[in-house]
Amino acid sequence: MRVSLDDKYSLTQGRAYLNGIEALVRLLLVQRLRDQAAGLDTAGFVSGYRGSPLGGLDSALWAAGEHLKRHHIHFQPGVNEELAATALWGSQQLNLFPDARHQGVFGLWYGKGPGLDRAMDPIKHANNSGTSPHGGVLAVVGDDHMCKSSTLAFQSEPMFMAAGLPVLHPGSVQDVLDLGLHGWALSRFAGCWVGFKTTPDNMDANASADMDIDRVRIVLPEDFEFPDGGLHVRWPDAPVEQEARLQIAKRAAVLAYARANRLNDVVLDSPAARFGIAATGKAWLDMRQALADLGIDDACAHRLGLRLFRITLPWPLEPEGVRAFADGLEEILVVEEKRGLIEEQLRDLLYDLPDGRRPRVLGKRDSQSQPLFSTAGELSPALIAGAILARLRQRAELADAVAQLREPPPEPPARLGGPLQRQPWFCSGCPHNTSTRVPEGSRAMAGIGCHYMVTWMDRDTETFTQMGGEGAAWLGQAPFSDTNHVFQNIGDGTYFHSGILAIRAAVAAGVNITYKILYNDAVAMTGGQHVDGSLTVEQLVQQLEGEGVQRIALVSDEPDKYPRGLAERHPGAGLSIHHRDRLEGVQCELREVSGTTVIIYDQVCATELRRRRKRGEAPVAERRVFINERVCEGCGDCGVQSNCLAVVPVETPLGRKRAIDQSACNQDYSCLKGFCPSFVSVHGGKLKRIHSGDPGSDWPELPQPSVPALTGPFNVLLPGVGGMGVLTLGGIMGMAAHIEGRGSLVMTQTGLAQKFGAVTAHVRIAPSQQDIYAHSIPRAGAQLMLGADLVVASGRDSLARLAPQARVVVNSHESPTADFTHNPDAPFPGHAMEEAIEAASAETHFIDAAALATAIKLSAGKKRHALVRLAD
């Protein structure tokens, strides 16, 4: 099978390997192609604001820029979600005027859960106003159900409902492509925006998907009569008339479209069905995985009298499909995460049925009113399997059939897992290692961004606000507190997004507060994108001066780069410029100034600076710092000074010493701030590269393994830390399976992996894509674990996913945790972690990958021996 990385955007049939983010980009291209085929001249418009699990969408759109340009699709990142939604509103008004160059603009707005909250005002206005007949808008929201990269766990459906948007909920990457087309068609037909709920399970998953642009067949309802004037945007348009059109006519149009296109449908039925299961999105896939884990295939489902109802439009539920599904059933189990939105609607829609025909509806509680599926957290196949099995056991006539089912895997023991965890931390050389310090006697408040992590560090920083509210909490405390002053951290991205309003509010209130604007020139939390609408430092000073800030201090690691006379040009704010070594003194000075003051801390994000150096876009540092272990006394002051994980422990016969991990060091040099004599600086030198001999020499043939027959999903768990290549390895395995024509799904769980946090790839390979249900490997479902990091591999979540017969290979190299930055004697119980892994698996191999890699590189004349031994 011949493949290209461009397949995901260029193919019009066949299959391609892509993730959910890339599927959203492709979706735009397919809509344009389908419009062209239908004789329509349309264009596309995309705007929104990044945030996990949609954090990489803007990067994917920029990368696909040439494809978008050829198809008249314009991407304009929003400064914030509210303004982006307003821009989408405007895109639907284009054809109200005579100068439009296209017949319509199909739009895509994106944001994570908090962004939807923020944009509700324009979205409500735009939805009431309506879409254009050949336009339409998808409002794509990323929900973080487990709060892995957010400050709150989010569920977007209630907000969509409040704004009157019908909601589509895709479960897989293929669903993103298919339901996205339905979303625009529904938006055009009903004249309303359409909510599109996504989760990390489909956005962070890579899968093999069908690229046929004619795969989705749109059916326009024939049983709906449009009101006078239609349903679309117009001008003028009275608000009361808009409300009536939205709540009555558009709602009826949505239901008609759902009915005609069978968006909610029975996908498995039995001759004498008595027990029904309804689910949507991720919960649908987890439910199908639960049935597979129990051993319930289609034939078994028939014997058990099961009927499965797949819901892709969870609000508003279409009544006719619901009643057809419920016909003849005695009980319906609703499987959905968070609030019971489907369950409540089902009860309402079935309420009028006669008692003898009205099935019992269960979901958040069972038939005894005991908790069943929680409204908090997320569901798992194991939990769902237990609930299904319990309901089936209530039916005496099914006793023999139920006895043949497999038991769901048990809850893992409370003590399962090793003794250490990976705590996310600032990157090596991160500006926040210095900028978030506060002088003794002061306290600070956090905000949104990488610097939020300071709240679990020893930096006198407590509490936080939503994005753009930084410092406003102090307005409600200051009149009643004996504390005279606080510091407030705020990132440059947040400042441009909405934070300037919070500073304006502080000035207006006259409170004593110092904002530390962390000017890092990149949005590191979501991948190093540039800050949208970025101002230069001097423009920032001008703006703050105009807002009435009392005093501004500019702190930088390179103060000499600013032009002479800069301070004199801004006398109104008393601008002063300092080296970052003077930060504590500057803070002490500003906390004594009445009113609102600002420190602009200017230092490029360390990770982004590292990328720029590799690309030749920034000068390479000419200085390398080392620690002489003969002089080092292991006091740990270098870690305390730098808060940096590139400072690592080294065990020697004379005790624990310290070293600089040169592969991780970003040349920030904060570790030198103490009074340690063990440091050695090398100026002008370069790290020596270890060559493994003649690249043209023959490499040995490795023995080929015997490959067992693949009869179902084979699951490989890849736990590690960000930067270890876990995502790359998962991508290679997934693409290899795709090239072989197999079913392939790779789900990555990153969270704060970019910040030394855990990262895990769930690789699932099967004979066909239809054989794979849940994105994550279910409990006790992994046949193989390749652990890049001993700490993450020995964690509770990793070990709970191992099957009893699992084979495990783990890197035993001891990579330190964040504890070492402030505790020179922090233990690393590697033996205990190895024992935990061995106890949970059938066969375990520990390899010090760092030592092995070095040995192979150094054994230029022994390649054959080293490689064959590695293969064995």
Side-chain angles (χ1 to χ4, degrees):
M1 180 178 177
R2 194 173 179 183
V3 300
S4 165
L5 293 178
D6 202 44
D7 286 349
K8 56 184 174 282
Y9 299 142
S10 61
L11 290 182
T12 56
Q13 59 184 0
R15 302 188 69 79
Y17 185 72
L18 73 170
N19 62 31
I21 293 291
E22 294 162 341
L24 287 173
V25 179
R26 176 180 172 81
L27 184 60
L28 292 156
L29 304 174
V30 173
Q31 183 61 49
R32 164 69 177 177
L33 290 172
R34 287 171 62 105
D35 281 346
Q36 280 184 304
L40 293 175
D41 177 17
T42 61
F45 181 71
V46 187
S47 191
Y49 194 83
R50 64 184 74 87
S52 178
L54 299 174
L57 180 55
D58 53 1
S59 296
L61 289 163
W62 282 315
E66 288 302 315
H67 291 281
L68 300 180
K69 184 177 180 180
R70 285 199 303 271
H71 290 86
H72 302 284
I73 298 167
H74 182 73
F75 171 46
Q76 178 60 56
V79 172
N80 62 42
E81 300 88 346
E82 179 182 5
L83 297 176
T86 308
L88 265 301
W89 182 10
S91 74
Q92 302 306 293
Q93 299 169 343
L94 173 70
N95 299 98
L96 297 177
F97 306 99
D99 54 353
R101 293 198 299 268
H102 299 276
Q103 291 174 274
V105 177
F106 53 92
L108 189 149
W109 175 92
Y110 66 92
K112 68 184 299 183
L116 177 62
D117 293 348
R118 180 178 187 87
M120 281 295 285
D121 190 12
I123 288 178
K124 283 183 176 181
H125 276 84
N127 194 39
N128 274 265
S129 173
T131 59
S132 64
H134 301 306
V137 177
L138 276 185
V140 182
V141 172
D143 275 355
D144 185 1
H145 283 182
M146 288 301 290
C147 201
K148 291 183 178 179
S149 56
S150 308
T151 54
L152 286 175
F154 271 89
Q155 180 184 19
S156 59
E157 294 98 314
M159 297 299 288
F160 280 136
M161 292 164 60
L165 273 67
V167 182
L168 290 170
H169 189 177
S172 65
V173 173
Q174 187 72 65
D175 284 349
V176 173
L177 294 169
D178 296 348
L179 292 180
L181 296 176
H182 274 298
W184 273 314
L186 172 58
S187 180
R188 291 175 176 183
F189 179 78
C192 59
W193 283 37
V194 174
F196 202 72
K197 175 189 172 83
T198 68
T199 64
D201 286 74
N202 51 29
M203 289 296 99
D204 295 341
N206 290 265
S208 184
D210 188 349
M211 298 290 103
D212 187 351
I213 63 171
D214 296 320
R215 169 186 168 90
V216 176
R217 179 172 174 266
I218 303 296
V219 179
L220 296 181
E222 297 180 355
D223 59 350
F224 176 78
E225 184 176 347
F226 285 90
D228 291 339
L231 300 175
H232 298 96
V233 62
R234 68 203 60 188
W235 185 261
D237 196 9
V240 175
E241 294 175 3
Q242 288 184 356
E243 180 191 30
R245 193 162 60 246
L246 175 64
Q247 299 299 336
I248 301 172
K250 291 186 180 182
R251 175 79 170 266
V254 169
L255 297 177
Y257 183 93
R259 187 165 53 250
N261 289 275
R262 304 178 72 92
L263 294 182
N264 304 331
D265 202 13
V266 173
V267 298
L268 188 150
D269 205 353
S270 302
R274 292 292 180 266
F275 180 41
I277 305 176
T280 185
K282 170 185 177 293
W284 167 261
L285 296 174
D286 286 342
M287 182 271 292
R288 294 305 306 264
Q289 182 67 54
L291 294 179
D293 292 344
L294 290 171
I296 301 177
D297 57 15
D298 289 4
C300 181
H302 292 162
R303 293 194 297 272
L304 294 170
L306 289 184
R307 181 182 294 161
L308 305 184
F309 190 50
R310 188 185 181 200
I311 297 170
T312 60
L313 186 80
W315 190 87
L317 275 186
E318 194 281 308
E320 290 187 17
V322 165
R323 294 192 179 108
F325 160 64
D327 186 37
L329 296 180
E330 297 174 1
E331 182 173 289
I332 295 174
L333 180 65
V334 180
V335 183
E336 58 182 325
E337 295 186 330
K338 305 298 184 184
R339 287 175 49 181
L341 305 177
I342 294 174
E343 182 182 354
E344 294 173 2
Q345 293 180 83
L346 276 176
R347 285 204 182 96
D348 287 345
L349 293 174
L350 301 177
Y351 181 79
D352 291 334
L353 293 179
D355 288 343
R357 294 181 52 203
R358 186 192 310 137
R360 183 168 53 244
V361 179
L362 309 177
K364 297 307 171 187
R365 292 186 175 273
D366 64 16
S367 57
Q368 306 301 317
S369 295
Q370 296 301 306
L372 184 56
F373 295 136
S374 175
T375 56
E378 66 179 354
L379 301 181
S380 68
L383 193 155
I384 298 168
I388 293 173
L389 189 58
R391 300 315 307 162
L392 293 174
R393 283 175 173 162
Q394 297 292 316
R395 306 180 65 86
E397 72 277 14
L398 300 178
D400 291 341
V402 172
Q404 304 301 314
L405 301 181
R406 293 191 290 263
E407 290 285 337
E411 185 72 22
R415 294 189 177 183
L416 181 68
L420 284 186
Q421 290 185 337
R422 285 284 173 203
Q423 176 75 291
W425 211 252
F426 295 145
C427 298
S428 300
C430 176
H432 301 326
N433 282 326
T434 299
S435 68
T436 56
R437 296 179 183 272
V438 294
E440 186 175 354
S442 288
R443 66 180 175 91
M445 298 185 295
I448 301 302
C450 295
H451 54 90
Y452 169 77
M453 292 188 289
V454 75
T455 58
W456 55 73
M457 302 176 189
D458 186 17
R459 292 293 179 91
D460 298 311
T461 302
E462 297 173 314
T463 73
F464 66 94
T465 66
Q466 83 284 1
M467 192 172 193
E470 284 81 357
W474 180 237
L475 274 62
Q477 298 175 28
F480 316 105
S481 174
D482 290 333
T483 298
N484 186 53
H485 172 274
V486 296
F487 290 95
Q488 173 66 60
N489 298 325
I490 181 171
D492 51 355
T494 297
Y495 176 89
F496 296 122
H497 175 276
S498 51
I500 179 61
L501 297 179
I503 296 177
R504 185 178 300 165
V507 172
V511 294
N512 296 336
I513 185 172
T514 297
Y515 281 89
K516 286 197 283 186
I517 301 177
L518 311 178
Y519 191 95
N520 305 133
D521 195 24
V523 186
M525 186 67 81
T526 55
Q529 301 98 320
H530 63 76
V531 176
D532 300 316
S534 179
L535 302 175
T536 66
V537 169
E538 182 166 6
Q539 289 171 332
L540 187 59
V541 169
Q542 291 174 330
Q543 189 173 64
L544 291 166
E545 185 178 23
E547 292 289 344
V549 169
Q550 294 295 313
R551 168 92 159 79
I552 302 174
L554 174 55
V555 176
S556 173
D557 58 338
E558 299 178 283
D560 295 337
K561 70 181 180 182
Y562 299 106
R564 292 183 179 181
L566 176 61
E568 288 75 12
R569 290 200 294 272
H570 301 282
L575 176 65
S576 58
I577 303 173
H578 312 269
H579 192 277
R580 67 174 183 175
D581 291 345
R582 288 269 296 115
L583 176 62
E584 182 169 0
V586 171
Q587 291 183 98
C588 289
E589 177 188 344
L590 264 63
R591 70 181 177 182
E592 301 301 323
V593 177
S594 297
T596 301
T597 57
V598 171
I599 296 173
I600 302 174
Y601 188 96
D602 177 21
Q603 185 179 348
V604 175
C605 163
T607 301
E608 183 57 25
L609 180 60
R610 185 187 187 96
R611 293 190 185 108
R612 294 175 186 176
R613 284 171 172 167
K614 286 184 176 181
R615 297 167 184 161
E617 299 171 359
V620 177
E622 295 296 323
R623 180 187 187 189
R624 286 276 177 178
V625 173
F626 300 84
I627 294 177
N628 186 339
E629 69 177 40
R630 295 184 179 183
V631 179
C632 174
E633 297 182 355
C635 68
D637 179 65
C638 49
V640 173
Q641 294 293 330
S642 64
N643 200 44
C644 179
L645 282 174
V647 180
V648 297
V650 178
E651 305 298 339
T652 74
L654 298 178
R656 177 176 288 176
K657 306 284 188 172
R658 287 290 188 274
I660 305 297
D661 181 352
Q662 297 297 327
S663 67
C665 178
N666 284 324
Q667 289 88 52
D668 175 68
Y669 311 127
S670 295
C671 52
L672 299 174
K673 301 304 179 186
F675 300 95
C676 180
S678 64
F679 283 97
V680 177
S681 291
V682 177
H683 296 265
K686 295 182 179 180
L687 294 177
K688 182 179 180 180
R689 294 186 177 274
I690 301 176
H691 297 286
S692 55
D694 180 12
S697 61
D698 292 335
W699 289 85
E701 289 291 332
L702 296 179
Q704 294 297 314
S706 59
V707 181
L710 192 62
T711 58
F714 186 86
N715 302 318
V716 184
L717 188 66
L718 306 175
V721 178
M724 286 186 168
V726 170
L727 303 187
T728 300
L729 179 57
I732 291 172
M733 295 174 71
M735 178 61 83
H738 168 70
I739 292 173
E740 287 191 356
R742 302 179 185 270
S744 171
L745 195 151
V746 180
M747 166 66 185
T748 57
Q749 295 180 337
T750 53
L752 294 176
Q754 295 186 72
K755 312 301 170 192
F756 287 98
V759 57
T760 305
H762 296 239
V763 181
R764 310 198 69 194
I765 300 171
S768 70
Q769 201 68 35
Q770 290 69 35
D771 295 319
I772 305 174
Y773 295 120
H775 291 72
S776 300
I777 297 173
R779 186 192 303 167
Q783 294 98 327
L784 174 64
M785 179 170 75
L786 303 177
D789 176 66
L790 186 59
V791 176
V792 183
S794 66
R796 177 181 175 84
D797 184 70
S798 296
L799 299 187
R801 296 185 191 273
L802 295 183
Q805 74 279 13
R807 297 185 176 186
V808 173
V809 180
V810 178
N811 174 20
S812 62
H813 180 73
E814 297 185 355
S815 299
T817 64
D819 293 338
F820 289 101
T821 62
H822 52 274
N823 179 6
D825 300 317
F828 193 96
H831 184 66
M833 287 184 275
E834 291 182 2
E835 286 184 335
I837 295 173
E838 288 176 331
S841 57
E843 180 182 335
T844 309
H845 303 274
F846 295 103
I847 300 173
D848 189 327
L852 180 61
T854 302
I856 291 176
K857 288 180 179 180
L858 292 175
S859 61
K862 304 176 183 178
K863 288 178 186 173
R864 181 178 301 275
H865 173 73
L867 283 172
V868 171
R869 188 173 53 154
L870 175 60
D872 291 342

